[in-house]
Amino acid sequence: MGGDLDRSMRRPTMRHVARLANVSLGTVSRVINNNPSVRRDVRERVQKAMEELCYLPDAAAQSMRSLATMSVGCMVPDIGNPLFATTVSMAEQVLHSAGYTMILSSSQYSSEREREILSLFRRRRVDGILCTIGREDDAEVLSILRNSGIALVMVDRTADLDADSVGTDHFDSALQATSYLLTLGHSRIGLITVTDQVRTGRERLQGFMQAHHNAGVAFEQRLTALRGFSAEYGYRTAYEWLIGSEAPTALLAGANQMAGVLKAVRALNLKVPEDISLISFGDTDLAELNTPPLTVVRWSTEGVGRTAAVVLLSRMRGTAGEARLNLISPVELIVRRSCAQPKP
Amino acid sequence: MGGDLDRSMRRPTMRHVARLANVSLGTVSRVINNNPSVRRDVRERVQKAMEELCYLPDAAAQSMRSLATMSVGCMVPDIGNPLFATTVSMAEQVLHSAGYTMILSSSQYSSEREREILSLFRRRRVDGILCTIGREDDAEVLSILRNSGIALVMVDRTADLDADSVGTDHFDSALQATSYLLTLGHSRIGLITVTDQVRTGRERLQGFMQAHHNAGVAFEQRLTALRGFSAEYGYRTAYEWLIGSEAPTALLAGANQMAGVLKAVRALNLKVPEDISLISFGDTDLAELNTPPLTVVRWSTEGVGRTAAVVLLSRMRGTAGEARLNLISPVELIVRRSCAQPKP
DNA sequence: GTGAAAGCGCTAACAC
DNA sequence: GTGTTAGCGCTTTCAC
């Protein structure tokens, strides 16, 4: 049995299974696809043959006929970043449970790589795409996304295209954090976050401005830094501000940048919260275990990943309805001990 | 041009390109595959047609004939864990540059999911597999790995199979850290790390024991905890030990578990390093920015990922030679301020 | 240097 | 219920 198989150095195919079980190709196919119109004894014979040969259907051949690859592409700027990693992780779990395979690629914040990755997704004929792009105004990337004809869910981004999106309420996040600091009496607050070419940065800036407006405090343009996503950027910015005159008395920063901010604060031997108040966007072990524990704005990155996957699934299955979904997770200010009134 | 394309609601195929460029299928194929035996003007005509139609070759159809999918499967216990995330991230970059696509799946430390994922990889006919398994003695998983016939690189694991492996010198890691504590005068040192069903845990335990042996100090079995990978486990274990009698005066823990250990230390209001000395396996922002900064054993997770990908590439290309590679990254003890002599 | 044709492993439409 | 057959989009002989 399976004699010619050994010689051909190839994996077993439906043909081998059919021969061994003494049925036709069609019947094997029906068994594979759980078509009910197969007699029970025949089905069992086929299944036995499949096991005996360790047969597994070839995904490429299947998708070639069925026009569905059961795969989704996932593109993020950097999978090494814990925020993206947890989101992707949850999305992958949900998709995997639904039978989908995830193809993952990091763009490293490069527009060229984004285009490359998206064309790869097209070549692979993925059934859906989950993506967080580096810049929301990247015409070329948006155009590819628009014309791909593939189900698409934007994660934590909004752009000028007809796609679902799942994200976080960064506006409220900055609004709450800033208002809290303003209430404490701060009037020189610095904001360090990602570029305003993505929603995350833009909304944080808007929330920041709105809070100032609400409190009737003029915000200082020079104390907004929206040009970098790295800890290094957080360090440089905080350091410069803090050694300058008219230094801020409080700092808001993304979780990533906050690691750098903390280093700068240490380097300058400043005390938190006596000399400087700190709030992080995004909760981390670092924030929770810092001395003192950092006040943060928290949301569920897991929830975002899970929701994004669920939305994509319903879109791929065509059960999502006409209207685009635009889901925003709420955020919560967790007051710990990194904020105090500014020194008089 | 491409008139019938619009109507057929399908992506353009080689056939459309051939028709538009007035050549045969074979010629289009040769252009796609950079076969030099195509006249320059013809090649250019074909390329123009491809652009005009936004043609991209179908990966499934290609791999069906060529028997190479240009994809690699990557299986890790948890992509949400920063240690795995950075490794995977680097590997993905290297593989992507070489033209390979990465299929990613987290097993969540479940043997069943591992089997499922591996069979998925087989169905997808991946050209190579990069994996970190949950237990090195999992007969079923090992058997699948052995019989897959797919190029395989084990990451930070060794098992009874004929595969390349890339990892870290966890033995030396524990040896150095433990010896350092012993030298400071500690004699009740606790070790909290992953299970000894994987190399990481086993080698750390061995290094721990070896250091005790070298110093002529008896190590205490009860102060070794190798049953959990979570911060929660670190917390529970540390808490119990520290409130008990004959509490350890120093603790070694994996980066993951260390977050929990720190919480336990805080909860009990213990001072580091006066009341308890701490060393983490693996450097993190948390360790570096802790008060006081933690002494750690450091290695390059990026390096491991990069190397694993490079080894896999050479294996897939058949340029790796007969002998199995077994690459071990060195580690380095970074002394900061979390260790002191035990109280008399 | 280029075209024609066979077939990779599978599904689905159609016979019986 | 089951078998037969025609492709899915591509690569690769083999002619010319």
Side-chain angles (χ1 to χ4, degrees), chain A residues 24 26-27 30 37-39 42 64-65:
Chain A
S24 72
T27 301
R30 286 180 200 109
S37 71
V38 180
R39 243 178 32 227
V42 178
M64 197 145 167
R65 294 272 358 198

Side-chain angles (χ1 to χ4, degrees), chain A residues 60-318:
Chain A
Q62 282 183 312
S63 61
M64 197 145 167
R65 294 272 358 198
S66 61
L67 302 184
T69 57
M70 293 303 283
S71 65
V72 329
C74 177
M75 177 171 86
V76 292
D78 175 19
I79 184 61
N81 180 329
L83 256 57
F84 294 122
T86 50
T87 304
V88 168
S89 175
M90 286 307 302
E92 195 268 329
Q93 282 182 58
V94 172
L95 292 169
H96 180 93
S97 309
Y100 285 84
T101 300
M102 179 185 271
I103 290 175
L104 177 75
S105 214
S106 296
S107 68
Q108 310 302 132
Y109 296 92
S110 146
S111 171
E112 191 188 332
R113 264 195 71 137
E114 290 187 334
R115 293 195 296 271
E116 211 175 297
I117 292 168
L118 291 175
S119 106
L120 180 92
F121 288 171
R122 286 196 53 203
R123 294 203 326 106
R124 300 248 165 214
R125 305 282 190 261
V126 295
D127 297 333
I129 294 179
L130 229 42
C131 75
T132 301
I133 55 181
R135 278 176 40 210
E136 291 172 349
D137 58 354
D138 191 320
E140 296 211 55
V141 169
L142 292 190
S143 150
I144 296 176
L145 251 17
R146 256 192 294 268
N147 299 321
S148 74
I150 302 176
L152 172 65
V153 174
M154 303 287 283
V155 181
D156 233 343
R157 296 289 184 270
T158 39
D160 181 21
L161 34 87
D162 187 32
D164 301 302
S165 74
V166 174
T168 307
D169 196 342
H170 297 294
F171 175 84
D172 189 45
S173 172
L175 181 67
Q176 285 196 43
T178 312
S179 301
Y180 174 69
L181 290 170
L182 257 7
T183 306
L184 284 175
H186 292 272
S187 58
R188 284 200 311 281
I189 307 175
L191 173 71
I192 306 176
T193 181
V194 288
T195 166
D196 59 357
Q197 284 169 332
V198 301
R199 202 179 88 186
T200 310
R202 218 171 36 245
E203 291 197 344
R204 282 177 186 163
L205 179 60
Q206 284 165 358
F208 180 75
M209 288 164 60
Q210 183 70 50
H212 279 84
H213 179 79
N214 292 353
V217 176
F219 86 99
E220 304 197 37
Q221 181 75 49
R222 66 172 180 104
L223 292 181
T224 57
L226 290 81
R227 307 228 159 279
F229 40 78
S230 65
E232 167 61 17
Y233 179 68
Y235 179 85
R236 281 203 323 268
T237 307
Y239 196 94
E240 278 170 28
W241 283 348
L242 294 172
I243 60 172
S245 60
E246 301 280 297
T249 58
L251 251 29
L252 297 165
N256 235 7
Q257 294 97 336
M258 184 52 86
V261 170
L262 286 172
K263 286 181 201 177
V265 167
R266 301 285 163 87
L268 295 168
N269 236 318
L270 262 25
K271 288 220 174 344
V272 179
E274 293 81 355
D275 301 324
I276 181 89
S277 291
L278 258 25
I279 301 186
S280 161
F281 294 121
D283 199 5
T284 58
D285 278 337
L286 179 60
E288 187 182 352
L289 288 165
N290 189 65
T291 309
L294 299 185
T295 291
V296 302
V297 182
R298 176 159 67 191
W299 66 90
S300 166
T301 48
E302 291 88 351
V304 170
R306 196 183 307 116
T307 305
V310 170
V311 171
L312 184 61
L313 281 174
S314 67
R315 199 50 84 186
M316 290 189 298
R317 290 165 173 159

Side-chain angles (χ1 to χ4, degrees), chain B residues 25-290:
Chain B
L25 289 177
T27 302
V28 177
S29 175
R30 286 179 199 109
V31 172
I32 293 172
N33 296 290
N34 285 313
N35 186 321
S37 71
V38 180
R39 244 178 31 224
R40 208 178 132 191
D41 57 322
V42 178
R43 149 167 281 116
E44 278 165 6
R45 213 164 68 229
V46 171
Q47 281 166 337
K48 198 159 145 280
M50 298 201 295
E51 283 198 15
E52 196 160 323
L53 296 172
C54 288
Y55 168 79
L56 285 176
D58 182 310
Q62 282 183 311
S63 60
M64 196 144 165
R65 296 275 352 200
S66 62
L67 301 185
T69 58
M70 293 304 283
S71 65
V72 328
C74 177
M75 177 171 86
V76 292
D78 175 18
I79 184 63
N81 180 330
L83 255 57
F84 294 122
T86 50
T87 304
V88 167
S89 174
M90 287 307 302
E92 196 266 330
Q93 281 183 57
V94 172
L95 292 169
H96 180 93
S97 309
Y100 285 83
T101 300
M102 179 185 270
I103 291 176
L104 177 74
S105 213
S106 295
S107 67
Q108 310 301 132
Y109 296 93
S110 146
S111 170
E112 191 189 331
R113 264 194 70 135
E114 290 186 335
R115 294 195 294 273
E116 211 175 297
I117 292 168
L118 291 176
S119 107
L120 179 92
F121 288 171
R122 286 196 51 205
R123 294 203 326 106
R124 300 249 165 213
R125 306 279 190 263
V126 296
D127 297 334
I129 294 178
L130 230 40
C131 76
T132 301
I133 55 181
R135 278 176 40 210
E136 291 172 349
D137 58 354
D138 191 320
E140 296 211 55
V141 169
L142 291 190
S143 149
I144 296 176
L145 250 17
R146 257 192 293 268
N147 299 321
S148 73
I150 303 176
L152 172 66
V153 174
M154 303 286 284
V155 180
D156 234 341
R157 296 289 183 271
T158 38
D160 181 21
L161 28 90
D162 188 31
D164 300 302
S165 73
V166 174
T168 307
D169 196 342
H170 298 294
F171 174 83
D172 189 44
S173 171
L175 179 68
Q176 285 197 44
T178 312
S179 300
Y180 174 67
L181 290 170
L182 257 8
T183 306
L184 284 174
H186 292 271
S187 58
R188 283 198 311 280
I189 307 174
L191 173 71
I192 306 176
T193 181
V194 288
T195 165
D196 58 358
Q197 285 169 331
V198 301
R199 202 179 89 185
T200 311
R202 217 172 35 246
E203 291 197 344
R204 282 177 185 163
L205 180 60
Q206 284 165 359
F208 181 75
M209 288 165 60
Q210 182 71 49
H212 278 84
H213 179 79
N214 292 353
V217 176
F219 86 99
E220 303 197 38
Q221 181 75 50
R222 68 175 179 101
L223 292 181
T224 58
L226 289 81
R227 307 228 158 280
F229 40 78
S230 65
E232 167 62 16
Y233 178 69
Y235 179 85
R236 282 204 321 270
T237 307
Y239 196 93
E240 278 170 29
W241 284 348
L242 293 172
I243 60 172
S245 60
E246 301 280 295
T249 58
L251 251 29
L252 297 165
N256 235 8
Q257 294 97 336
M258 184 52 87
V261 170
L262 286 172
K263 287 181 200 177
V265 167
R266 301 284 164 86
L268 294 169
N269 236 317
L270 261 26
K271 288 220 175 344
V272 179
E274 293 82 354
D275 301 324
I276 179 91
S277 290
L278 257 27
I279 300 185
S280 162
F281 293 122
D283 199 5
T284 58
D285 277 338
L286 180 59
E288 188 182 351
L289 288 165
N290 189 63

Side-chain angles (χ1 to χ4, degrees), chain B residues 280-313:
Chain B
S280 162
F281 293 122
D283 199 5
T284 58
D285 277 338
L286 180 59
E288 188 182 351
L289 288 165
N290 189 63
T291 310
L294 299 185
T295 291
V296 303
V297 181
R298 177 159 66 189
W299 66 91
S300 166
T301 49
E302 291 87 352
V304 170
R306 196 183 308 116
T307 305
V310 169
V311 171
L312 184 61
L313 280 174

